[in-house]
Amino acid sequence: MKKLTASLMATSVLFAGAAWADGHATLPLKELPGIADRDYWVPGEVNAEGKLEALQEVVGAAAVQYSGSQDGPIQIALIYPSADTSDFWARNYLALTKRLDELGIQFETTEFASRQIEHSLQSTYANQVEQDADLYDYVIFGPSELAIQADNIDKLSANDGFATYVWAFHTPLKDLTNQPDAWFDFSSAAGALTMCDYMLGRLGNDVVMSMNRGIPGITDNQRSGDFKACVEEKGNWTTEYEHYGEYQREGGFEGTTLIMQAYPDSKVIHNANTAMAMGSVEAQVALGKEKDIFSTGWGGTGLELDAIRRGELDATPMRMGDDVGAATAEAIRADLEGRADELPLVFLGRITVAHDQMSADELDALEVEAFRFSGVGALKR
């Protein structure tokens, strides 16, 4: 275990530039088979049986106080693109710190902030933290891009002076000499399977659909490709048309307009992110078709939930957004208590399906659970 110098939270920033509700689906462990020669592992290959589900259960339950004592606050370094537009980083920072407070663990954080595209700045920060290893007990690294930051992940993980956790990726690279202590993320592939099971149960077999896909790459391959493969294989669905909307609202609008005009047999439109889903329902509403087409989103954002409440969007795989930060706090508690071997190598945040057959109270409860630490509504930054 790292040095156990784990008072009240103090934060310095280096800046450049409720229990899980009964009845909700749990996240599947195994993902659909990927490319045979892929250079990464999927969670089902590296997690010991039961460890992921056990941590998911802990994260969704009330906090259990840290059982040890501390000589002082633990020191946490966060190297992540929290200066970017996405509020993923800020929300999970809040979830991390508030869960640590609930656990009764004293801590101090030092943030090394950047934007997503500032790869070299992240490398500079990683070098600085590695050189000052004696200052930190835990390092949380949110890579600007996984392959570009692989050497820095390897270098930080090799240091025995602190534990290293990776945020926003769940695909451990096979060629790392030193694996970090844990990876924390949401799995688009697992979300695709959760959505597949829901859609087959809701709509049955032999359905014709079209898709607004994102940008060719691993995320869209999982969100769209794995969903498509699942419903075609298990439900004999037919995919009539696939439009690449580049994760933009305009792309969802244009793709949906084309689908409604040229592919009228499509009764389902799958959208691979929130922006395209909003563009898609906008196009449907403009033509008065929102009741004729079953539309899906991705992520369960506030915009999507509002569209479900208005009757414009039908279903979306919803991430329990604060799970990543809360799970990291629980990993720290387990490490401090000498139970690090109980943790999965890869933690996946919980995903369930929010849909139009839920009551307003049920949708509200999901939203409160998802953002139970960072707060419902737009995040003030």
Side-chain angles (χ1 to χ4, degrees):
M1 226 265 309
K2 320 306 180 206
K3 46 178 202 285
L4 198 119
T5 54
S7 120
L8 297 176
M9 177 184 69
T11 303
S12 59
V13 180
L14 304 182
F15 183 56
W20 188 229
D22 292 339
H24 289 301
T26 55
L27 189 63
L29 266 175
K30 293 189 178 295
E31 304 181 17
L32 288 175
I35 301 170
D37 61 350
R38 66 180 188 272
D39 57 1
Y40 60 88
W41 284 295
V42 297
E45 295 174 320
V46 294
N47 282 342
E49 184 175 357
K51 288 187 176 182
L52 172 56
E53 298 97 326
L55 186 53
Q56 286 177 333
E57 184 175 351
V58 168
V59 167
V64 175
Q65 289 286 296
Y66 169 52
S67 63
S69 60
Q70 297 178 244
D71 297 328
I74 58 169
Q75 299 296 321
I76 305 171
L78 298 100
I79 308 169
Y80 59 169
S82 58
D84 219 8
T85 301
S86 171
D87 67 1
F88 170 90
W89 311 102
R91 284 189 177 278
N92 278 291
Y93 173 81
L94 289 173
L96 166 73
T97 56
K98 290 185 178 182
R99 186 67 168 194
L100 285 171
D101 284 339
E102 289 184 353
L103 294 170
I105 295 174
Q106 300 167 356
F107 64 95
E108 294 175 350
T109 65
T110 303
E111 296 181 67
F112 298 83
S114 65
R115 294 183 299 154
Q116 196 84 40
I117 61 173
E118 293 178 314
H119 309 299
S120 61
L121 181 58
Q122 275 210 330
S123 294
T124 299
Y125 286 155
N127 288 333
Q128 181 177 340
V129 169
E130 207 277 330
Q131 291 170 6
D132 296 334
D134 59 328
L135 299 180
Y136 304 108
D137 303 294
Y138 297 92
V139 175
I140 298 170
F141 191 57
S144 59
E145 199 283 326
L146 185 57
I148 291 175
Q149 300 297 340
D151 288 346
N152 289 320
I153 294 172
D154 201 322
K155 175 173 58 181
L156 292 169
S157 301
N159 197 305
D160 291 332
F162 48 70
T164 301
Y165 300 137
V166 173
W167 273 7
F169 287 92
H170 62 278
T171 51
L173 296 171
K174 292 182 177 180
D175 61 357
L176 292 180
T177 302
N178 303 282
Q179 282 290 338
D181 293 270
W183 304 68
F184 299 86
D185 195 16
F186 294 92
S187 169
S188 291
L193 295 187
T194 299
M195 195 64 177
C196 170
D197 289 343
Y198 173 80
M199 295 292 278
L200 294 176
R202 173 88 179 260
L203 301 180
N205 297 340
D206 303 309
V207 174
V208 178
M209 77 167 177
S210 289
M211 312 182 80
N212 284 318
R213 303 188 63 156
I215 297 170
I218 186 170
T219 299
D220 185 67
N221 287 346
Q222 293 179 347
R223 291 187 179 187
S224 302
D226 286 357
F227 175 78
K228 173 187 172 184
C230 182
V231 294
E232 288 183 347
E233 177 181 346
K234 292 184 177 181
N236 197 38
W237 284 32
T238 300
T239 304
E240 197 170 30
Y241 176 68
E242 300 177 47
H243 177 80
Y244 281 91
E246 298 183 332
Y247 296 123
Q248 301 299 308
R249 190 181 190 117
E250 295 79 4
F253 185 94
E254 293 167 359
T256 298
T257 301
L258 189 156
I259 290 164
M260 291 188 296
Q261 292 173 346
Y263 303 96
D265 290 338
S266 293
K267 301 305 180 186
V268 173
I269 296 180
H270 170 281
N271 296 285
N273 80 330
T274 296
M276 291 192 301
M278 295 302 97
S280 180
V281 299
E282 184 180 345
Q284 294 170 48
V285 170
L287 293 177
K289 298 284 189 180
E290 71 272 16
K291 301 300 182 183
D292 302 332
I293 297 173
F294 195 102
S295 299
T296 68
W298 191 276
T301 63
L303 288 174
E304 291 180 354
L305 294 181
D306 285 343
I308 291 175
R309 293 181 178 107
R310 293 193 302 268
E312 297 170 356
L313 190 70
D314 296 283
T316 183
M318 183 173 178
R319 297 171 293 206
M320 297 297 102
D322 289 352
D323 273 11
V324 163
T328 309
E330 291 292 346
I332 289 173
R333 177 171 75 98
D335 185 53
L336 290 173
E337 292 176 350
R339 298 183 295 103
D341 59 348
E342 296 179 8
L343 299 172
L345 178 63
V346 179
F347 173 82
L348 302 177
R350 298 165 296 157
I351 298 177
T352 192
V353 177
H355 55 82
D356 61 342
Q357 294 181 334
M358 287 180 164
S359 68
D361 288 344
E362 288 175 320
L363 288 171
D364 290 347
L366 273 184
E367 196 167 18
V368 169
E369 170 70 13
F371 305 115
R372 59 201 183 278
F373 295 108
S374 60
V376 173
L379 190 65
K380 294 181 180 180
R381 303 176 65 184

